[in-house]
Amino acid sequence: MRKLRTVEMARLSVSEFKEAEKMPLVVVLDDVRSMYNVGSVFRTGDAFRIEAVCLCGISATPPSTEIHKTALGAEDSVEWRYCPSAAEAVAALRAEGCEVLAVEQAEGSTKLHRFRPERGRRYAVVLGNEVKGVHQEVVDLCDGCLEIPQFGTKHSMNVSVTAGIIIHHFAESLLLGE
């Protein structure tokens, strides 16, 4: 088995990416303080061709050297917008017809493996601050909560790791048809 060289992978150019059909998923970052986490979300979003990233509150926005360090240019391909608060972003996305789900440990949350996104629907997922998670007032505005089952001693995962798991889960149903 031989690893492929980058030139053999036939990746899209930034302009081709912008024109390509997107997975109907917006990732909302609610006060994510690490610019490296923000950049990582952009890079994962590019890999799965998500619709957009919505940066809220204290979440940093491009251009930024720190974001670029982990995004590696994905901040140029993935559409993004800034909202002063995640609550405003959630209200706007719901008004646009998105089903908005917080990724949080909450009463009545749906375990991720039990949730199957439906083709033909638009979704948004809200990921929270590295310490406090998704603000309660934002959880209250969402259509529901998704929870990633965890089996160790810690009660949370890094937000960029969480984004990767969540985005991949959506891709399994919406892009890969599994």
Side-chain angles (χ1 to χ4, degrees):
M1 191 172 310
R2 178 185 66 81
K3 286 176 47 177
L4 294 176
R5 297 184 338 240
T6 303
V7 297
E8 295 176 285
M9 293 182 197
R11 298 292 183 203
L12 301 175
S13 68
V14 172
S15 60
E16 290 169 329
F17 182 97
K18 289 189 177 285
E19 296 297 320
E21 186 176 345
K22 306 296 185 293
M23 178 167 56
L25 178 66
V26 176
V27 175
V28 178
L29 299 182
D30 180 10
D31 281 341
V32 172
R33 63 184 177 181
S34 166
M35 288 185 255
Y36 299 119
N37 282 335
V38 171
S40 183
V41 170
F42 270 103
R43 192 164 164 193
T44 302
D46 176 280
F48 290 99
R49 220 181 314 148
I50 67 169
E51 186 177 315
V53 173
C54 186
L55 304 164
C56 304
I58 66 167
S59 302
T61 61
S64 160
T65 301
E66 290 85 358
I67 290 173
H68 182 74
K69 186 172 184 174
T70 51
L72 296 178
E75 72 276 27
D76 298 325
S77 56
V78 176
E79 291 296 321
W80 65 272
R81 58 185 171 251
Y82 176 79
C83 277
S85 74
E88 290 176 52
V90 168
L93 288 161
R94 290 188 76 212
E96 293 171 14
C98 282
E99 180 176 338
V100 183
L101 303 162
V103 180
E104 192 58 80
Q105 298 167 66
E107 293 174 349
S109 64
T110 301
K111 301 295 188 213
L112 187 60
H113 63 281
R114 299 199 184 283
F115 175 76
R116 287 288 163 237
E118 298 173 26
R119 289 177 186 252
R121 296 189 72 177
R122 276 183 75 216
Y123 293 93
V125 291
V126 183
L127 304 174
N129 174 273
E130 292 89 342
V131 175
K132 298 179 181 181
V134 179
H135 289 95
Q136 182 63 54
E137 62 270 17
V138 176
V139 171
D140 293 342
L141 296 172
C142 290
D143 297 300
C145 286
L146 295 176
E147 183 175 339
I148 300 170
Q150 298 175 53
F151 308 100
T153 63
K154 300 299 172 197
H155 68 278
S156 67
M157 292 182 284
N158 178 279
V159 66
S160 66
V161 171
T162 299
I165 292 168
I166 294 292
I167 293 169
H168 183 268
H169 182 80
F170 274 82
E172 283 181 326
S173 291
L174 301 176
L175 299 178
L176 302 173
E178 294 177 10

